[in-house]
């Protein structure tokens, strides 16, 4: 009986998500992949979310032990959650800690998924892991239904920021279990975009690929886009001369730092666009459109609202906040079988705006993009700030190199201290940079920091997320 209910709710949910999978195989127009979804009114968008939610809630209740337990603990049954408002009012956010505890109790996968061992075995799966930058990497498995869904949703996002079938893309990343490269690969193959895998190569080999094959799109982290440009310059080339028109980035919050964006765009003579997502919630989520940021127009990323419900909550107690206030991102993933999520706390700081965009899309925008995850927040003597705040300081100094590192330690008196290490660009005067950097940091985060200026090439360059914070303080 229970098995029948579980199967029936799965069928109903899958039918519902497929019903709203408009324009699955090709864009509807040059500008927008699916105007019926991306440019519909906010009321229509809400109606789609609620129809999917009404199918998702019983589906996770009947098929996921993690969600069933949570419903029971909260004293709820599926019919208690019929609307987005019910969800936000009655269902507390799910944190990474809560998911990690579930995995510890039922290793190695935990019990959040709706897929039984039997079905995983019969149907196959693909595994991705979180980057582990703030702890042990966590594992997520996705089904083939999921792959079809995120391929389509991600292709829409990549169409939005301007990738077309005549493009050629160079992926500057290996194909490890990180979801970013795989999502891009599935979506771009779906779009018939030519594809050069650049895994297992060093920067010189990748620079040669750019010179020889002239890809029009580079896919990498922002820090790697800078590094690759510098390596190409050292080889005697000019990155701006090889036909790259788009730099497609993810994994780091740098697109919201205007000086970093401008530096990358001018080095490559290309536009920088962003793709935002997480391993927990089916790979896709936020994306740039073609409306360019300018003096009076901050950078922003759309959020995919027909496949997910996005909101922001207050740090600390995770209470819902008003539109226009800065808070932490929370996502409800309506379209995933392997990893459905009801109010998962992604935890990136941003400000949501629903006023519509010049591109015609009505979906929410994250204004100023994402400044960092709550886990990345640095606390020095009670002053809290993000690595990206230090990046603003570093970028404001002419003569500073591209890389930087934040070292946190404890001095002899037991006090937390911060040292920011940068490199000087060729011909810059290192001594002058120290004073300038200390002053910039004091202005921006109101903390006294030491500065070290190193010779170019001292700080490590990474292919995936740059690790810019080294915390050597004792753990509480
Ligand atoms: Zn837009």
């Amino acid at each position: 009986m229970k098995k029948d209910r579980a199967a029936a709710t799965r069928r109903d949910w899958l039918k519902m998500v497929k019903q709203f999978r408009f324009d699955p195989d090709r864009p509807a127009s040059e500008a927008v992949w699916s105007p019926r979804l991306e440019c519909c009114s906010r009321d229509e968008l809400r109606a789609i979310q609620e129809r999917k939610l009404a199918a998702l809630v019983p589906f996770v209740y009947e098929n996921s032990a993690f969600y069933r337990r949570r419903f029971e603990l909260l004293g709820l049954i599926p019919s208690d959650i019929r609307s987005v408002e019910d969800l936000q009012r009655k269902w507390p956010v799910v944190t990474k800690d809560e998911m990690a505890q579930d995995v510890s109790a039922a290793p190695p996968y935990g019990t959040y998924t709706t897929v039984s061992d039997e079905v995983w075995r019969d149907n196959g799966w693909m595994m991705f892991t979180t980057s582990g930058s703030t702890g042990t990497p966590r594992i997520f498995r996705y089904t083939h239904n999921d792959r079809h869904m995120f391929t389509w949703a991600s292709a829409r996002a990549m169409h939005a920021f301007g990738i077309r079938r005549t493009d050629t893309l160079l992926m500057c990343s290996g194909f490890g279990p990180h979801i970013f490269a795989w999502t891009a690969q599935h979506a771009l193959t779906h779009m018939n975009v030519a594809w050069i895998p650049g895994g297992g190569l060093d920067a010189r080999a990748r620079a040669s690929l750019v010179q020889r094959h002239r890809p029009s799109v580079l896919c990498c982290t922002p820090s790697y886009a800078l590094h690759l440009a510098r390596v190409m310059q050292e080889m005697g080339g000019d990155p701006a001369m090889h036909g790259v028109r788009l730099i497609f980035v993810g994994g780091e919050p740098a697109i919201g730092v205007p000086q970093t964006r401008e530096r990358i765009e001018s080095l490559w003579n290309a536009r920088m666009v962003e793709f935002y997502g997480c391993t927990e919630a089916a790979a896709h989520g936020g994306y740039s459109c073609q409306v360019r940021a300018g003096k009076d127009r901050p950078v922003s990323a759309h959020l995919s609202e027909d496949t997910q419900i996005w909101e922001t909550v207050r740090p600390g107690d995770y209470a819902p906040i008003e539109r226009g206030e800065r808070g932490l991102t929370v996502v409800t993933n309506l379209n995933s079988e392997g990893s459905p999520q009801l109010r998962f706390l992604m935890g990136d700081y941003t400000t949501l705006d629903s006023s519509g965009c010049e591109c015609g899309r009505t979906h929410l925008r994250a204004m100023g993009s994402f400044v960092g995850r709550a886990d990345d927040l640095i606390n020095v003597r009670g002053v809290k700030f993000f690595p990206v705040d230090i990046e603003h300081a570093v970028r404001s100094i002419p003569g500073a190199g591209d890389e930087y590192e934040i070292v946190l330690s404890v001095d002899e008196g037991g006090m937390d201290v911060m040292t920011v290490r940068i490199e000087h660009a060729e011909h810059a005067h290192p001594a002058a940079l120290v004073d300038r950097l200390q002053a910039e940091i004091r202005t921006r985060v109101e903390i006294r920091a030491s500065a070290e200026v190193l010779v170019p090439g001292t700080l490590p360059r990474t292919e995936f997320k740059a690790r810019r914070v080294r915390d050597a303080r004792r753990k509480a």
Side-chain angles (χ1 to χ4, degrees), residues 62-128:
E62 296 292 347
N63 289 276
S64 155
F66 176 85
Y67 282 102
R68 169 70 77 120
R69 267 197 315 276
R70 223 172 182 266
F71 272 98
E72 285 168 359
L73 274 171
L74 292 163
L76 298 173
I77 55 170
S79 58
D80 289 324
I81 298 176
R82 294 172 183 277
S83 65
V84 173
E85 200 194 329
D86 286 339
L87 180 72
Q88 290 170 343
R89 209 157 40 85
K90 298 177 183 173
W91 186 264
V93 299
V94 177
T95 63
K96 284 174 196 165
D97 279 351
E98 192 177 341
M99 296 199 79
Q101 281 165 19
D102 175 50
V103 171
S104 304
Y109 302 116
T111 62
Y112 66 89
T113 186
T114 68
V115 182
S116 67
D117 288 347
E118 197 185 341
V119 175
W120 281 127
R121 216 171 27 243
D122 285 352
N123 291 359
W125 43 274
M126 190 159 181
M127 187 187 97
F128 303 106

Side-chain angles (χ1 to χ4, degrees), residues 27-35 38-39 155-164 287-291 358-361:
S29 76
E30 171 59 22
V32 181
W33 187 289
S34 185
E38 287 159 44
C39 304
R156 284 167 54 192
M158 289 168 202
H159 186 78
F161 54 61
I163 296 185
R164 296 292 179 264
Y287 51 92
S288 312
C289 65
Q290 294 189 62
V291 175
E358 286 170 55
C359 73
R361 288 176 182 79

